[in-house]
Amino acid sequence: LSRGLGDVYKRQVMALPKVIVGPQNSGKTTMLKRMVKEYHKCGYSNVIIDFIESCETAREVSEAIPKEDKVIIRLGGKEYIPALAFSEVSKRITEDMDKWDRVYLANLIAEQVETLINAVTDATTGYLTAPMLRYLHAASMITFIRPNATLQDVFHVLKDYEVRNQAIKYAKYSKCFEEKDEIFLDLQELHKRDGQGKKIIGTREDLIIGITNRITILKKNPYLKTMLGAPIDPMQDFENYIKTGKSIFIMIPQSQFPNEMIRDVLTTYFLSRLWLVVQLRCDNKGSRLCNIVFDEVAQVPRTAKFLAEHLNELRRHRLGLIT
């Protein structure tokens, strides 16, 4: 793949999107297997996200990579349940860091949370209105300034007024925001008060019904529900995997996740997590190329939309799309 090309030109060409086209049994998987093997030999990283049937493509392609250079993440079994979090970013957040950097990192995660929640959409969820997105952003910001926060923590801030008050107090104490920042005013709107308007007695869930409907859908799947409550595993680090040239195989078997939308949410989650990782790299020109491999991406429309929105930026961040 890279013979005869200068280093700079090679990096540019290798990062361009690539589409494999052909009828059934024409050798697409075999070609993909060879491409991943060649990319590995060149020292590049690969991320294969397989959500088709029993993930045969990922299994076949993984055979071409030495055991010590591959990471297999198979979802659906009780043996391994990753946290639904953006740990590569949240691990950088500390209580003693510069408050500007802290808010910046929290905002990066908040943007991806909005993308992920928007991916949970069917006939029952309703629309996410502008005010709902405002509440979601505010909850995400005061949640993710804390080290190692997860998506579950955001949901607790939105739904539980006691947790919300504690999070507001923590955010004010952190000095990351102004005392009368709109974020605090937005979250205080969610307080349900007694007849005199003094005592907080609950949450005005009517204001966030579109978000809570999506939370309900996520929690209907027992595996996703457990992912929401799972602790962050510091050993699962996509930033480190890419730096060391690992090939990562993410398997989302259809038998475990028969709901198309849930598979779409999971592929969107892993893709947005990778997107955050490469955005944090300081030296794009010198960074290791990482190829993202999707087969039949049209089956996950929200993931396809995410890719379409960022397609022109992938090469610049040394992400090579293969589909």
Side-chain angles (χ1 to χ4, degrees), residues 9-280:
Y9 185 64
K10 178 175 68 176
R11 290 196 197 102
Q12 296 288 337
V13 171
M14 292 297 101
L16 290 173
K18 300 166 186 65
V19 180
I20 301 173
V21 180
Q24 288 185 341
N25 298 318
S26 62
K28 296 191 296 297
T29 300
T30 301
M31 182 178 179
L32 186 62
K33 190 173 180 179
R34 288 176 177 171
M35 288 177 73
V36 171
K37 185 176 181 180
E38 286 294 318
Y39 280 130
H40 171 73
K41 286 167 65 177
C42 290
Y44 304 143
S45 179
N46 301 286
V47 180
I48 295 85
I49 303 178
D50 194 348
F51 50 89
I52 305 297
E53 296 181 349
S54 59
C55 308
E56 290 180 19
T57 298
R59 285 210 304 272
E60 287 185 30
V61 174
S62 70
E63 294 171 2
I65 307 298
K67 184 177 179 180
E68 64 274 13
D69 292 333
K70 62 186 173 185
V71 177
I72 296 179
I73 299 173
R74 183 179 176 85
L75 305 184
K78 62 181 180 180
E79 302 82 14
Y80 178 70
I81 302 177
L84 205 59
F86 297 87
S87 52
E88 292 81 9
V89 183
S90 60
K91 74 176 183 180
R92 295 173 178 238
I93 297 171
T94 61
E95 293 186 331
D96 59 350
M97 73 187 300
D98 180 82
K99 65 179 182 180
W100 176 263
D101 294 334
R102 198 170 169 186
V103 169
Y104 169 73
L105 292 174
N107 187 63
L108 285 179
I109 303 175
E111 289 176 352
Q112 300 312 315
V113 168
E114 182 179 327
T115 297
L116 191 62
I117 295 301
N118 264 318
V120 187
T121 306
D122 65 11
T124 67
T125 56
Y127 291 103
L128 276 177
T129 63
M132 289 179 196
L133 292 174
R134 183 160 44 87
Y135 299 134
L136 178 62
H137 176 76
S140 295
M141 290 301 293
I142 69 168
T143 297
F144 290 115
I145 60 168
R146 301 186 75 138
N148 297 313
T150 69
L151 194 59
Q152 176 86 306
D153 298 325
V154 177
F155 294 160
H156 285 158
V157 168
L158 285 168
K159 296 189 70 176
D160 188 323
Y161 76 92
E162 292 180 336
V163 174
R164 185 162 58 251
N165 269 339
Q166 289 171 4
I168 290 172
K169 287 178 183 177
Y170 176 87
K172 287 183 175 180
Y173 180 77
S174 73
K175 304 296 184 183
C176 288
F177 309 98
E178 297 294 332
E179 184 68 24
K180 293 185 178 180
D181 195 293
E182 289 183 359
I183 282 176
F184 301 133
L185 298 177
D186 289 340
L187 291 171
Q188 286 163 0
E189 287 179 14
L190 295 179
H191 291 333
K192 184 178 181 181
R193 300 181 183 272
D194 61 13
Q196 280 121 21
K198 295 180 179 179
K199 186 179 179 181
I200 303 170
I201 58 174
T203 296
R204 297 178 61 190
E205 294 210 15
D206 57 301
L207 297 179
I208 53 170
I209 190 67
I211 301 171
T212 54
N213 284 345
R214 286 162 172 79
I215 297 171
T216 300
I217 287 177
L218 288 176
K219 290 189 173 182
K220 278 183 179 179
N221 182 285
Y223 191 84
L224 250 69
K225 183 177 181 179
T226 310
M227 281 181 72
L228 282 168
I232 290 175
D233 179 4
M235 299 302 292
Q236 190 191 90
D237 188 335
F238 284 93
E239 183 178 18
N240 185 57
Y241 293 157
I242 293 172
K243 277 183 180 177
T244 54
K246 294 286 192 291
S247 288
I248 309 153
F249 298 87
I250 301 170
M251 302 182 186
I252 307 171
Q254 237 170 303
S255 58
Q256 298 293 323
F257 302 96
N259 186 300
E260 179 188 297
M261 185 187 64
I262 295 298
R263 293 199 304 275
D264 201 351
V265 168
L266 287 168
T267 55
T268 301
Y269 161 65
F270 281 106
L271 182 59
S272 61
R273 188 170 163 184
L274 287 164
W275 178 238
L276 271 186
V277 167
V278 298
Q279 285 188 93
L280 290 172

